[in-house]
């Protein structure tokens, strides 16, 4: 299979509106060149407007999640091209982060540099016990340029983030778990099913409520606490303009499963 003849990012459909977005350039450990970044952006944009979408899972094919931005491509770049490349990376990562439903990173192997930055643009990170993660950029004379200098500290705190960025070290899955960088680890053969169980649990909940919760938690982050609580109240109220909370609460009182509509 050559790069021209296979899809660099595959969309895989599952039941309940769950979609896997699989980075598919295994011969280069899924390294992110401009074509892969464009494909990530385009696939995310393609599914973003789907009403039936409930959860997106991002993973890699073969033995890596993503081993980083493509070093061979970056070696050829001028500073203008480097700027464009970083911006393209941000567009791709932002398209993932902006998906209206929860996005899960299933880290099946190496998630390094731009690969970890892709995972950091997801909402929930889970890893195989054989995964290795890190931001090795400074060892290449670079800095993390697809969001790592900003998103890692926001997730695990700046103290631990500085250590990972300054040392450029690669850590094992259990250390990533200890740092709160991933929520849970699974044996390699159990990762797919473990992540799917979590995705299905989310997909069974009120779809409007889950989307609303993601939006409110994200939009509230830059606000002060009183503005953020006001946003929460407004959003809570808006849910009552739809059928969904009435079905959810009625079903609970009737001791039956809710039948939510997408
Ligand atoms: C280009 C890559 C690559 C990368 C792996 N490959 N990572 N190509 N860019 N980031 C290619 C290898 O060149 C090789 O191709 C093939 O994938 C298999 O990799 P090996 O090195 O042979 O595998 P292994 O010995 O198992 O080592 C795995 C590894 C190593 C430890 C993950 O590949 C590695 O260190 N990769 C680079 C990791 C890294 O530094 N990432 C950060 C990049 S900077 P051939 O053709 O030889 O078979 C970055 C910046 C982001 O991400 C921000 C930009 C703005």
């Amino acid at each position: 299979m050559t790069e021209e003849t296979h899809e660099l990012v595959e969309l895989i459909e599952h039941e309940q509106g769950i979609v896997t977005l699989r980075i598919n350039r295994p011969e280069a450990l899924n390294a992110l060149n401009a074509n892969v970044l464009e494909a990530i952006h385009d696939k995310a944009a393609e599914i973003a407007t789907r009403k039936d979408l409930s959860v997106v899972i991002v993973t890699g094919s073969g033995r890596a999640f993503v081993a980083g931005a493509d070093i061979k491509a970056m070696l050829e770049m001028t500073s203008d091209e480097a700027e464009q490349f970083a911006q393209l990376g941000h567009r791709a990562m932002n398209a993932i982060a902006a998906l209206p439903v929860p996005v899960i990173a299933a880290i099946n192997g190496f998630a390094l540099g731009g690969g970890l930055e892709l995972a950091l643009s997801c909402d929930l990170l889970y890893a195989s016990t054989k995964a290795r993660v890190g931001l090795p950029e400074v060892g290449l004379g670079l800095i993390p340029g697809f969001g790592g200098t900003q998103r890692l500290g926001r997730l695990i705190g700046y103290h631990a983030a500085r250590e990972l960025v300054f040392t450029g070290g690669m850590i094992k899955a259990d250390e990533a778990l200890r740092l709160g960088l991933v929520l849970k680890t699974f044996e390699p053969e159990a990762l797919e099913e473990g992540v799917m169980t979590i995705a299905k649990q989310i997909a069974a909940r009120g779809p409007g409520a889950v989307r609303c919760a993601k939006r409110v938690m994200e939009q509230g982050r830059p606000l002060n606490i009183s503005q953020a609580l006001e946003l929460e109240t407004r959003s809570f109220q808006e849910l009552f303009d739809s059928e969904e909370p009435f079905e959810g609460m009625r079903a609970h009182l009737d001791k039956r499963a809710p039948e939510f509509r997408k």
Side-chain angles (χ1 to χ4, degrees):
M1 252 190 334
T2 67
E3 200 168 308
E4 293 74 43
T5 57
H6 73 280
E7 284 250 61
L8 290 171
V9 177
E10 298 170 300
L11 285 185
I12 304 155
E13 299 283 339
H14 311 279
E15 54 197 31
Q16 294 178 255
I18 301 167
V19 175
T20 294
L21 200 148
R22 187 163 64 193
I23 316 302
N24 186 31
R25 196 190 171 208
E27 67 280 6
L29 302 187
N30 303 321
L32 303 171
N33 61 18
N35 290 339
V36 181
L37 291 168
E38 294 277 8
I40 292 171
H41 174 275
D42 292 352
K43 296 289 183 189
E46 184 184 324
I47 56 176
T49 53
R50 273 176 47 175
K51 277 220 167 76
D52 70 317
L53 191 70
S54 60
V55 178
V56 176
I57 298 167
V58 178
T59 196
S61 66
R63 65 190 175 96
F65 177 75
V66 167
D70 192 314
I71 298 170
K72 290 168 198 159
M74 288 189 292
L75 186 60
E76 309 290 321
M77 287 178 190
T78 63
S79 75
D80 282 350
E81 287 165 345
E83 180 191 25
Q84 286 161 20
F85 188 60
Q87 288 169 341
L88 174 61
H90 285 156
R91 272 205 301 284
M93 309 296 149
N94 289 344
I96 296 291
L99 281 165
V101 298
V103 184
I104 298 177
I107 303 173
N108 53 304
F110 295 110
L112 302 172
L116 179 56
E117 295 174 289
L118 174 63
L120 288 169
S121 67
C122 301
D123 298 299
L124 303 167
L125 283 65
Y126 301 97
S128 144
T129 49
K130 71 161 200 253
R132 297 287 179 274
V133 307
L135 292 174
E137 281 93 338
V138 291
L140 300 166
L142 304 170
I143 62 165
F146 289 164
T149 63
Q150 307 306 316
R151 287 196 171 106
L152 184 61
R154 283 170 161 83
L155 184 66
I156 65 170
Y158 273 78
H159 200 189
R162 281 189 204 107
E163 184 178 61
L164 277 173
V165 171
F166 297 163
T167 64
M170 214 194 288
I171 60 171
K172 293 183 174 172
D174 57 353
E175 177 67 358
L177 183 64
R178 193 187 66 77
L179 291 173
L181 178 48
V182 300
L183 286 168
K184 211 172 189 175
T185 59
F186 296 91
E187 290 302 317
E189 59 285 356
L191 177 67
E192 203 175 319
E193 196 188 326
V195 161
M196 188 55 74
T197 300
I198 295 159
K200 285 183 176 168
Q201 192 179 358
I202 296 169
R205 305 308 186 199
V210 172
R211 286 175 179 236
C212 180
K214 172 166 174 171
R215 201 169 55 240
V216 171
M217 291 177 82
E218 200 49 41
Q219 289 177 353
R221 264 152 50 118
L223 305 180
N224 68 38
I225 187 71
S226 59
Q227 292 168 324
L229 292 177
E230 174 56 29
L231 171 69
E232 185 187 70
T233 303
R234 241 182 300 123
S235 307
F236 184 80
Q237 176 193 11
E238 277 164 20
L239 287 173
F240 283 72
D241 292 331
S242 75
E243 259 303 299
E244 190 174 295
F246 299 102
E247 168 57 15
M249 293 187 285
R250 218 176 280 129
H252 177 82
L253 295 175
D254 293 350
K255 301 187 191 314
R256 62 172 172 83
E259 287 175 34
F260 292 121
R261 267 191 253 137
K262 291 243 162 104

